[in-house]
Amino acid sequence: MKPSFFHSSLSLLFSILFQTLIPQPASALPLSTSGRWIVDEITGQRVKLACVNWASHLETMVAEGLDKRPLDEISKTIGSMRFNCVRLTWPTYLVADSSVEPSGSITVHESLRRLGLNASIIGIYTYNNWILDQTLIQAFKAVVSNLGSNHIMVILDNHITKPGWCCNYHDGDGFFGDEFFNPKDWISGLTKMAEMFKEDYNVVGMSLRNELRGPRQNVPDWYKYMQMGAEAVHKANPNVLVILSGLDFDTDLSFLSNKKIELSFTTKEVYEMHWYSFTNGDTWNLNANDACSSVISSVMSRAGFLLSHGWPLFMSEWGIDQRGENNNDNRYLGCFLATAAALDVDWGLWALQGSYYLREGIVDAEEFYGVFSLNWERKRNQTFLDRIASLRSPFQGPGLNHALHTILYHPTSGMCVNPTESSELSLGSCDSAKGWRYTKEKLIQLQGTNLFARDFGPGYNVTLSDYSPDTTMKWDLISATRMHISSMNETDLCLDVGRDGYTLMTYQCCLGEADQDCDPEGQWFKMVSSNRPVLQYVLY
Ligand SMILES: *[C@@H]1O[C@H](CO)[C@@H](O)[C@H](O)[C@H]1NC(C)=O
Ligand SMILES: *[C@@H]1O[C@H](CO)[C@@H](O)[C@H](O)[C@H]1NC(C)=O
Ligand SMILES: *[C@@H]1O[C@H](CO)[C@@H](O)[C@H](O)[C@H]1NC(C)=O
Ligand SMILES: *[C@@H]1O[C@H](CO)[C@@H](O)[C@H](O)[C@H]1NC(C)=O
């Protein structure tokens, strides 16, 4: 999409203003919680986690990609893609004593040599040769500290016990007491890591354990062991956020609606959940609209409800095959983005890595969910990154005190509805999005004006107009997702985007019903509540 001059100059001006108005992370840490928000402990202002997952838990126990690009360039690129945080994964073996094989006391070189990864050794020698003779622990610390010098926050995620690809229901590494999941070793590992990174100001949180799962998972043991893990981490480093994941591959925290976990500390407790298209595999074969509605209710009852109970929820893994070829992923993405925007949650994209040294027996395995390409030189899909961009800044929360308004968010493009200088409605930046108000009378009013969105019939521009009492200004929220905005003048017309990719028009509603050969997602507009600053609209 090519923004008009009006939009680009406005967003430039705005991004300058914005830097000073929206709390920027990673300068003043540590973090704590205030109700459902994660905040800067000193200023009390919201810090929204916009993380990317970086794997360091596979067989090598080395952060992926050091054979492809210098560490500092990787960190700088994470910042330039405007992620403010990395969820860095580690296996418990990294800090096991040296009687466990392999442990973190062997060198990077040795770890790769044992696995026969000669090409990776040559790659690391080329790009990060200083790290080859460091122990795995030293190398892990070097990654954390380099991220810190690039102002990237880190969440240390205990991903698995035994290094390797995660996760499988029957891998014996999924729940407390499993073959590879001794709770004592886990507590000792968490304690060591918490102590080791106490002085690293950019380590802001620790995920206690990734994706609990398996035939032995049960709620009583969840309370028992998660409490022990949380207390151990807090005791070793009282500054970090303690992040608790749910059962069933971290998709289920529903049991918390009945019983709170007892902890000796406050303002550090955060929950995490994972949400992929394969979380609800078959559902996405339905039409995207019905599927989205059903998946959202499941997500809300399994974890989303925590927000309204005053607990922060970190969507710590989500993502898609960025080649754009997986239909379920494509249907899921718009639904995820709309929900993540409306809930204004903290999040962590899977994944950073474009490749793995070794994954499931495959050398130099490609990660199609990764933002980097196979050789880590380019971004895999800039369109995807642009589409998720508007989720990075907070819409609401402590520190954002501007008048409450509604943003009309279009998840298919990742853009928001703004008026043009000639009073048409058009998609543009969400960072400088105009404030709307959806009134009791079902009018869509441009906040602070007496102008309203008006339908001029199918294939015509939707335009801002002075109030008129007819039905061309009334809009209903319809369909299973209520993300279709239908004209009440002609009820089979819905708000849509014209062929130019940004001018708003009305077209026949596409609800994805069996007799309709169309994609309902293009007509999704999510009303997102926001306290962001809004520039005055000047009608030329
Ligand atoms: C890897 O390098 C070692 C030492 O240079 C050599 O002995 C071994 O054969 C190589 N392995 C492969 C798979 O090329
Ligand atoms: C990038 O992702 C979009 C969907 O988000 C897809 O349509 C497109 O084909 C992808 N591009 C590449 C180069 O993979
Ligand atoms: C409103 O609906 C009426 C009746 O369906 C139609 O004749 C008229 O053209 C519509 N007006 C607009 C602006 O679409
Ligand atoms: C519709 O809006 C676009 C974008 O603002 C504008 O270029 C176009 O001339 C408008 N079309 C009509 C018929 O007014």
Side-chain angles (χ1 to χ4, degrees):
M1 108 99 189
K2 283 205 189 71
S4 66
F5 172 74
F6 175 75
H7 280 118
S8 49
S9 55
L10 189 63
S11 24
L12 178 65
L13 168 68
F14 204 83
S15 61
I16 296 165
L17 284 174
F18 212 63
Q19 299 299 322
T20 59
L21 294 169
I22 302 280
Q24 292 298 309
S27 47
L29 303 163
L31 304 182
S32 63
T33 66
S34 169
R36 61 146 291 188
W37 308 108
I38 294 172
V39 297
D40 177 319
E41 189 163 293
I42 314 292
T43 65
Q45 303 223 322
R46 179 167 187 207
V47 174
K48 182 169 179 176
L49 301 176
C51 309
V52 66
N53 281 274
W54 188 356
S56 184
H57 68 276
L58 275 71
E59 279 85 348
T60 63
M61 295 197 265
V62 179
E64 304 293 340
L66 300 180
D67 58 338
K68 301 286 178 80
R69 241 180 130 173
L71 171 58
D72 193 55
E73 274 188 29
I74 295 175
S75 297
K76 287 195 160 56
T77 311
I78 293 171
S80 74
M81 292 190 278
R82 290 186 53 217
F83 295 108
N84 62 17
C85 141
V86 162
R87 180 172 177 261
L88 186 62
T89 65
W90 60 279
T92 313
Y93 279 19
L94 181 67
V95 286
D97 63 55
S98 50
S99 66
V100 174
E101 295 256 317
S103 84
S105 55
I106 62 172
T107 65
V108 170
H109 186 272
E110 175 65 5
S111 176
L112 297 167
R113 193 198 56 79
R114 287 185 190 193
L115 294 162
L117 299 172
N118 291 10
S120 302
I121 295 176
I122 293 167
I124 296 188
Y125 183 78
T126 309
Y127 294 107
N128 293 289
N129 67 352
W130 57 276
I131 222 167
L132 268 180
D133 292 324
Q134 306 227 341
T135 64
L136 295 176
I137 299 237
Q138 287 169 333
F140 190 90
K141 288 175 93 164
V143 169
V144 170
S145 125
N146 186 271
L147 287 166
S149 46
N150 286 291
H151 310 292
I152 309 282
M153 297 181 279
V154 171
I155 287 165
L156 301 174
D157 164 58
N158 178 242
H159 207 72
I160 196 166
T161 302
K162 189 170 176 274
W165 180 248
C166 181
C167 304
N168 184 307
Y169 191 78
H170 292 290
D171 60 11
D173 205 341
F175 200 71
F176 309 103
D178 280 359
E179 181 184 358
F180 298 109
F181 196 166
N182 177 326
K184 258 178 63 189
D185 297 345
W186 172 69
I187 299 269
S188 139
L190 287 174
T191 305
K192 283 188 203 165
M193 287 296 272
E195 276 167 359
M196 198 183 313
F197 290 95
K198 225 170 149 164
E199 306 300 322
D200 292 73
Y201 80 97
N202 65 316
V203 172
V204 295
M206 287 186 60
S207 279
L208 296 185
R209 183 69 168 199
N210 181 66
E211 301 198 354
L212 295 165
R213 64 188 173 279
R216 302 186 53 266
Q217 64 175 343
N218 67 83
V219 170
D221 280 353
W222 186 94
Y223 282 97
K224 174 175 170 197
Y225 292 111
M226 291 306 255
Q227 183 197 46
M228 287 165 63
E231 295 291 350
V233 165
H234 185 74
K235 186 162 170 234
N237 180 355
N239 282 329
V240 285
L241 297 174
V242 176
I243 306 171
L244 292 80
S245 75
L247 297 175
D248 215 0
F249 294 88
D250 200 6
T251 62
D252 188 6
L253 289 153
S254 57
F255 46 86
L256 286 165
S257 63
N258 303 324
K259 186 180 166 203
K260 201 173 145 12
I261 185 168
E262 296 294 327
L263 296 175
S264 67
F265 56 91
T266 56
T267 70
K268 291 291 180 184
E269 174 186 357
V270 172
Y271 292 91
E272 66 180 312
M273 75 165 296
H274 294 176
W275 179 8
Y276 291 103
S277 75
F278 49 78
T279 311
N280 313 85
D282 294 342
T283 313
W284 288 108
N285 297 328
L286 302 174
N287 88 61
N289 202 54
D290 290 336
C292 179
S293 152
S294 128
V295 167
I296 290 175
S297 33
S298 158
V299 163
M300 290 313 289
S301 63
R302 288 163 77 95
F305 72 93
L306 290 169
L307 294 167
S308 55
H309 284 47
W311 282 315
L313 181 63
F314 173 38
M315 295 250 183
S316 57
E317 284 189 28
W318 63 280
I320 62 159
D321 182 329
Q322 290 178 33
R323 290 172 298 181
E325 287 160 14
N326 180 318
N327 286 334
N328 282 1
D329 277 0
N330 297 344
R331 293 189 188 113
Y332 143 94
L333 181 59
C335 186
F336 173 85
L337 294 176
T339 309
L343 297 177
D344 201 4
V345 283
D346 302 273
W347 52 267
L349 176 73
W350 189 273
L352 179 70
Q353 58 272 2
S355 67
Y356 299 93
Y357 306 110
L358 177 69
R359 169 176 158 180
E360 297 173 287
I362 298 167
V363 173
D364 197 28
E366 185 158 8
E367 173 58 275
F368 297 108
Y369 284 55
V371 294
F372 276 123
S373 60
L374 174 64
N375 59 18
W376 292 59
E377 270 172 10
R378 332 176 268 106
K379 294 165 198 165
R380 182 174 299 278
N381 189 329
Q382 185 63 47
T383 311
F384 172 77
L385 285 172
D386 292 344
R387 198 168 157 194
I388 71 173
S390 39
L391 293 187
R392 292 181 186 120
S393 311
F395 291 103
Q396 291 189 276
L400 288 169
N401 300 321
H402 296 265
L404 184 65
H405 57 274
T406 294
I407 284 177
L408 294 175
Y409 174 65
H410 183 246
T412 301
S413 60
M415 293 191 282
C416 290
V417 176
N418 287 302
T420 67
E421 73 258 50
S422 48
S423 76
E424 278 98 17
L425 298 195
S426 168
L427 292 178
S429 159
C430 293
D431 283 348
S432 57
K434 286 294 169 297
W436 301 93
R437 209 165 71 84
Y438 182 55
T439 71
K440 280 200 302 290
E441 301 75 27
K442 299 187 187 277
L443 305 167
I444 298 179
Q445 178 179 23
L446 183 62
Q447 183 145 307
T449 71
N450 284 317
L451 299 170
F452 303 87
R454 181 170 190 177
D455 167 33
F456 283 93
Y460 288 94
N461 289 350
V462 173
T463 300
L464 277 182
S465 309
D466 294 326
Y467 180 74
S468 97
D470 64 34
T471 50
T472 59
M473 289 196 166
K474 297 209 178 210
W475 303 88
D476 212 1
L477 308 187
I478 63 160
S479 88
T481 55
R482 297 178 58 77
M483 289 198 281
H484 285 85
I485 302 186
S486 156
S487 165
M488 292 176 74
N489 190 52
E490 291 180 77
T491 51
D492 60 342
L493 291 185
C494 280
L495 199 59
D496 203 340
V497 182
R499 284 201 196 89
D500 64 4
Y502 59 97
T503 304
L504 294 201
M505 303 184 169
T506 48
Y507 286 112
Q508 186 176 17
C509 293
C510 166
L511 308 183
E513 277 148 10
D515 58 338
Q516 284 186 317
D517 181 22
C518 61
D519 177 9
E521 295 199 53
Q523 291 183 344
W524 284 349
F525 292 86
K526 184 70 184 173
M527 294 196 169
V528 175
S529 297
S530 172
N531 292 106
R532 285 180 180 181
V534 177
L535 287 188
Q536 282 288 292
Y537 173 66
V538 183
L539 185 61
Y540 290 85

